[in-house]
Amino acid sequence: MSLTLCAAQAIVSATLAEARARSAKPLAVIVLDAGAHPIAFAREDGATMFRHDIARAKAVGALGMGDDTRVLAERAKGNPAFFQSVSVAVGGNIAFSPGGVLIRHDGAVIGAVGVSGDTGDCDEECAFAGIRAAGFNLETDK
Amino acid sequence: MSLTLCAAQAIVSATLAEARARSAKPLAVIVLDAGAHPIAFAREDGATMFRHDIARAKAVGALGMGDDTRVLAERAKGNPAFFQSVSVAVGGNIAFSPGGVLIRHDGAVIGAVGVSGDTGDCDEECAFAGIRAAGFNLETDK
Amino acid sequence: MSLTLCAAQAIVSATLAEARARSAKPLAVIVLDAGAHPIAFAREDGATMFRHDIARAKAVGALGMGDDTRVLAERAKGNPAFFQSVSVAVGGNIAFSPGGVLIRHDGAVIGAVGVSGDTGDCDEECAFAGIRAAGFNLETDK
Amino acid sequence: MSLTLCAAQAIVSATLAEARARSAKPLAVIVLDAGAHPIAFAREDGATMFRHDIARAKAVGALGMGDDTRVLAERAKGNPAFFQSVSVAVGGNIAFSPGGVLIRHDGAVIGAVGVSGDTGDCDEECAFAGIRAAGFNLETDK
């Protein structure tokens, strides 16, 4: 199953609805397909210009390594030299902060969401809400 | 006046509605602010992966040169060596085909739309429809 | 259906077998998944060092634009300014010569082969042979 | 003596056979010639997309510095600022984790293997098995 534009837009809308419910800082949210190519993106009014690039780096990084960026951020703390070299090796397509979350369907990774703008924890909670609202399960829902 | 996410999403929706009314090939559409940073993006199901990069290059190129890409494409035909050097000098942030259209308000450029997927002419017509539907005037509407 | 390593290696082997049957110059052949990420690659003894990059650019370009590079090469002749700008916009991930061929299964694109080393026509014939030998149909087999 | 495609493919096959014998996570393995240009590559089903880039960065880094990446990773821990600057200076063509292993013949470096997908230790053991199976000695076999 591939991720449709309709599903990706539902994720974007629900992610931003969660952000407003939490009074989060202005966010950017991107949804990528399994090959890390963009399907949908939105940047809220007032979100600064790097938010697109950071949201995308979170989502691409999660897909590239096969783990949510929360896990990658933890691993990077224990092995900074390696993960810094990975960051350069992949052309900056990774960001070590929560908010890059894999989208799974029937056990297969079909895409990823990246959120940036508030704390990593808040960004991730908004991504979780977006993914769940679009009808996909999270790893932690198992 | 700066372009809001709400206006950018209205442009995206109306651009894609026009594409479906025309039975265009699957499109990608991006809306950038005046500084060429992304506000909203959508890629229709079946649109190939370069469509994002080409749509963005059209929109950035229009902002970077101050003209719609239809005009830039015409100028590039008459002076290919110069425009090829521009293409490299700006890191690929330009594409010489119609479909990159400036968004104006009270005479000021406040952003740009980039569309890719069908012919340049069709891409541009969809962008025009999107911009008009969101309440902005086109140069040609003067 | 996603392309397996087993199928990709079958394509590589049969592509190179065809090259030897034709006494082609030493070739490089790459197989990419639908997201343009490498699955398998081989460079024959004597193939020069750019063959990897050119084979990959053919395969990525075919996926990115949704057409075999034979078609793209024809279109580029008629609109050089646009396709040169695309080449830069996509970071060199396209090459305008036959030999980049989409792999289809049940009508969906599941990957691409890129071949470089001999003439574009010969490169393409070897790619065709590789794809057919692995049990996939070509567009022209319809 | 230069590394042949036949030898490189033997290394790839034996590296992946070792990975399966160890029940390693899905791996990517690349073999480069002495000039760091790819000869052979394979990515197992389920290996994530960065595995190619990391495997290649390990192999290029080993060649570029003249040491297996296990040694480089140790050195990077003791002098992070320098090795981070190297990572950027060489365009990301290095990765500080075991699994990048030089291939030697009669005392000369004739290429390198890069493996990524499991722990660095496991990646390196698979690379060792691949190199030995193809008839080359390891530094540690002296």
Side-chain angles (χ1 to χ4, degrees):
Chain A
M1 177 193 171
S2 57
L3 198 56
T4 62
L5 174 58
C6 182
Q9 288 177 326
I11 292 172
V12 168
S13 296
T15 297
L16 296 183
E18 178 72 15
R20 286 317 103 228
R22 289 172 173 266
S23 301
K25 290 185 186 170
L27 299 186
V29 54
I30 196 164
V31 180
L32 307 181
D33 67 21
H37 303 290
I39 304 176
F41 172 75
R43 179 166 53 104
E44 292 188 300
D45 301 342
T48 55
M49 70 187 191
F50 283 174
R51 297 302 162 192
H52 171 274
D53 293 347
I54 298 173
R56 189 170 176 177
K58 287 183 180 179
V60 180
L63 287 165
M65 299 296 284
D67 268 315
D68 289 357
T69 52
R70 168 175 297 282
V71 176
L72 301 178
E74 278 304 312
R75 289 173 59 199
K77 283 182 192 163
N79 194 357
F82 172 60
F83 281 93
Q84 286 162 14
S85 65
V86 168
S87 176
V88 185
V90 301
N93 282 311
I94 195 165
F96 300 109
S97 171
V101 182
L102 296 172
I103 306 168
R104 291 180 161 87
H105 184 76
D106 287 346
V109 172
I110 60 168
V113 177
V115 177
S116 177
D118 202 300
T119 64
D121 286 344
C122 177
D123 293 345
E124 187 187 49
E125 286 296 332
C126 295
F128 285 169
I131 292 170
R132 279 199 190 102
F136 299 103
N137 292 323
L138 295 167
E139 273 259 271
T140 49
D141 295 335
K142 282 176 189 169
Chain B
M1 176 193 169
S2 58
L3 198 56
T4 62
L5 174 58
C6 182
Q9 288 178 325
I11 293 171
V12 167
S13 296
T15 299
L16 297 182
E18 178 72 16
R20 286 318 102 228
R22 290 171 173 267
S23 301
K25 290 186 187 170
L27 299 186
V29 54
I30 196 164
V31 179
L32 306 181
D33 67 20
H37 303 289
I39 304 175
F41 173 75
R43 178 166 54 104
E44 293 188 299
D45 302 342
T48 57
M49 69 188 193
F50 282 175
R51 297 303 163 193
H52 171 273
D53 293 346
I54 298 173
R56 188 170 177 177
K58 287 182 180 179
V60 180
L63 286 163
M65 298 296 283
D67 267 316
D68 290 357
T69 52
R70 169 176 297 281
V71 177
L72 301 178
E74 279 303 313
R75 290 173 58 199
K77 281 182 193 162
N79 194 356
F82 171 63
F83 281 93
Q84 287 164 25
S85 66
V86 168
S87 177
V88 181
V90 302
N93 283 309
I94 197 164
F96 300 112
S97 172
V101 183
L102 295 172
I103 306 168
R104 294 166 197 274
H105 184 75
D106 287 344
V109 172
I110 61 169
V113 177
V115 176
S116 177
D118 203 299
T119 63
D121 286 344
C122 177
D123 294 345
E124 187 187 50
E125 287 295 333
C126 295
F128 284 169
I131 292 170
R132 280 200 190 102
F136 298 101
N137 293 322
L138 295 167
E139 275 259 270
T140 49
D141 296 335
K142 284 175 190 171
Chain C
M1 177 193 169
S2 57
L3 197 57
T4 62
L5 174 58
C6 182
Q9 288 178 325
I11 292 172
V12 168
S13 296
T15 299
L16 296 183
E18 178 73 15
R20 287 317 104 229
R22 290 171 173 266
S23 300
K25 290 185 186 171
L27 300 187
V29 54
I30 196 163
V31 180
L32 307 181
D33 66 21
H37 304 290
I39 305 175
F41 173 75
R43 179 167 54 105
E44 292 187 300
D45 302 341
T48 55
M49 69 188 192
F50 282 175
R51 296 304 162 193
H52 171 273
D53 293 347
I54 298 173
R56 188 170 177 176
K58 286 183 181 179
V60 179
L63 287 164
M65 298 297 284
D67 268 316
D68 290 356
T69 52
R70 168 175 297 282
V71 176
L72 301 178
E74 279 303 312
R75 291 173 58 199
K77 282 182 194 164
N79 194 356
F82 173 61
F83 282 94
Q84 286 161 14
S85 66
V86 168
S87 177
V88 185
V90 302
N93 282 311
I94 195 166
F96 300 109
S97 170
V101 183
L102 296 172
I103 306 168
R104 292 181 160 88
H105 183 76
D106 287 344
V109 171
I110 60 168
V113 177
V115 177
S116 177
D118 203 299
T119 62
D121 286 344
C122 177
D123 293 346
E124 187 187 51
E125 286 295 332
C126 295
F128 284 168
I131 291 170
R132 281 199 189 102
F136 299 102
N137 292 324
L138 295 168
E139 274 259 272
T140 50
D141 295 336
K142 282 175 189 170
Chain D
M1 178 194 169
S2 58
L3 198 56
T4 62
L5 174 57
C6 182
Q9 288 178 324
I11 292 172
V12 168
S13 296
T15 298
L16 296 183
E18 178 72 16
R20 286 317 105 228
R22 289 169 173 268
S23 301
K25 290 185 187 171
L27 299 186
V29 54
I30 196 164
V31 180
L32 307 181
D33 66 20
H37 303 289
I39 305 175
F41 173 75
R43 179 165 55 105
E44 293 188 300
D45 301 342
T48 55
M49 69 188 194
F50 282 176
R51 298 304 163 190
H52 171 274
D53 293 347
I54 298 174
R56 188 170 176 176
K58 287 182 180 179
V60 179
L63 287 163
M65 298 296 283
D67 267 317
D68 289 357
T69 52
R70 168 175 298 283
V71 177
L72 301 177
E74 278 305 312
R75 290 172 60 197
K77 282 183 193 161
N79 194 357
F82 172 62
F83 281 93
Q84 287 164 25
S85 66
V86 168
S87 177
V88 181
V90 302
N93 282 310
I94 196 164
F96 300 111
S97 172
V101 183
L102 296 171
I103 307 167
R104 295 165 196 273
H105 184 76
D106 288 344
V109 171
I110 60 168
V113 177
V115 177
S116 177
D118 203 300
T119 64
D121 287 344
C122 177
D123 293 346
E124 187 187 49
E125 286 296 331
C126 295
F128 284 168
I131 292 170
R132 280 200 190 101
F136 299 102
N137 292 323
L138 295 167
E139 274 259 88
T140 50
D141 295 335
K142 283 174 190 171

